[in-house]
Amino acid sequence: MLTRFVLIQTSHAGNVGGAARAMKVMGFDDLVLVAPRWSNVLRREETIQRASGALDVLERARIVDTLDEALHGVSHLCATAMTPRDFGPPTRAPRPHFDGLVGPSANKAEAPTGVAFLFGSERFGMRNEDVYRCHACLSIPTDPHFGSLNLAAAVQLIAYDWRQALGGFGAAQLDAPRAAADAQSVAGMLAHLEQALVAIDFLDPDAPKKLMPRLNQLFNRAEPSDEEIHILRGIAKAMLQAAQRAKR
């Protein structure tokens, strides 16, 4: 679905870069600036530094003079505001509103062709006339005693919730799934460990009690890998060698 982030009269160049970065990590790249303070904001050093790798989003971004020019191709407009208006579109938290648009219970026939998220100036927020033309006013749930969000942070939160509503991304798998060693390997390691425990006089072979069965249960719960079995056998080998040296 077409997703556009629209920043209206942005006054801080760094926030433009921060917004671009926030969008990219959630897989969005359609950014439009309406009458920003700096006409060259997309090329300013602070913008580029804050974008931190999202330069492709800045390169695709457009600067327009009016909000109307920013809304081509989108059919559903979401304003963002910290406090609700006494008149205008309904104020909703992002997640419930997004579920109504694209969630399992949403009417697919009425799904929007494109969604635009509108963010106002850092100094003044959104103008009432811009809010009034939107279908919903999104209010991010925050501490009621301090709800002031940085612009780029607000973009990040909205982008995250919207991406989740669209299906999200799977969590990155940094490690391959770990396979547990088979029962034979565990039994061999336990036999080796038992020899070492006897050698250092920790285990009395004439009165073993339940030490080895308890260790067997411990390793069954731990489900050690083959590599971990090798480490434990190496420890057992070192214990046996140390015991032999001590008896010389």
Side-chain angles (χ1 to χ4, degrees):
M1 181 183 296
L2 171 63
T3 299
R4 181 170 299 151
F5 289 78
V6 181
L7 309 185
I8 303 171
Q9 296 182 330
T10 308
S11 59
H12 296 288
N15 282 335
V16 174
R21 181 180 183 182
M23 291 169 55
K24 182 167 183 174
V25 297
M26 289 297 113
F28 302 115
D29 61 7
D30 192 342
L31 173 64
V32 179
L33 309 179
V34 179
R37 178 183 178 186
W38 310 98
S39 60
N40 66 340
V41 66
L42 296 174
R43 301 186 301 277
R44 292 180 70 86
E45 182 178 357
E46 185 180 1
T47 306
I48 294 171
Q49 288 179 348
R50 287 284 303 279
S52 188
L55 298 183
D56 54 331
V57 178
L58 296 181
E59 290 170 357
R60 287 174 52 93
R62 295 183 292 122
I63 295 179
V64 297
D65 294 325
T66 66
L67 181 56
D68 284 333
E69 297 173 84
L71 301 179
H72 176 71
V74 296
S75 59
H76 188 85
L77 308 182
C78 295
T80 55
M82 186 175 68
T83 55
R85 267 64 171 179
D86 56 0
F87 175 79
T91 297
R92 293 173 178 154
R95 293 189 184 186
H97 184 63
F98 296 161
D99 287 342
L101 288 178
V102 296
S105 61
N107 187 334
K108 305 304 181 184
E110 298 179 359
T113 57
V115 175
F117 300 109
L118 281 54
F119 298 82
S121 164
E122 299 94 327
R123 293 178 293 175
F124 310 116
M126 287 195 64
R127 301 183 308 168
N128 285 337
E129 51 265 42
D130 292 336
V131 173
Y132 294 159
R133 66 188 301 175
C134 294
H135 297 83
C137 184
L138 302 180
S139 180
I140 297 170
T142 58
D143 186 327
H145 301 294
F146 188 72
S148 178
L149 276 168
N150 169 267
L151 174 59
V155 170
Q156 184 72 83
L157 291 171
I158 294 294
Y160 173 79
D161 277 352
W162 180 236
R163 175 53 66 192
Q164 292 299 103
L166 293 176
F169 295 125
Q173 292 291 334
L174 300 181
D175 300 314
R178 184 179 67 89
D182 60 29
Q184 185 179 23
S185 296
V186 174
M189 178 272 296
L190 283 168
H192 198 173
L193 182 60
E194 182 177 10
Q195 294 175 16
L197 293 174
V198 170
I200 64 172
D201 296 327
F202 184 86
L203 172 62
D204 182 354
D206 295 325
K209 298 183 179 179
K210 295 183 179 180
L211 176 61
M212 295 315 298
R214 290 184 184 278
L215 288 176
N216 200 152
Q217 289 297 306
L218 184 155
F219 287 114
N220 283 346
R221 291 195 301 272
E223 296 185 336
S225 66
D226 284 328
E227 182 179 359
E228 291 164 341
I229 290 293
H230 291 320
I231 293 172
L232 290 167
R233 296 198 71 151
I235 294 172
K237 180 180 179 180
M239 291 165 63
L240 285 166
Q241 292 172 341
Q244 290 172 357
R245 287 194 299 269
K247 293 175 180 179
R248 291 174 185 170

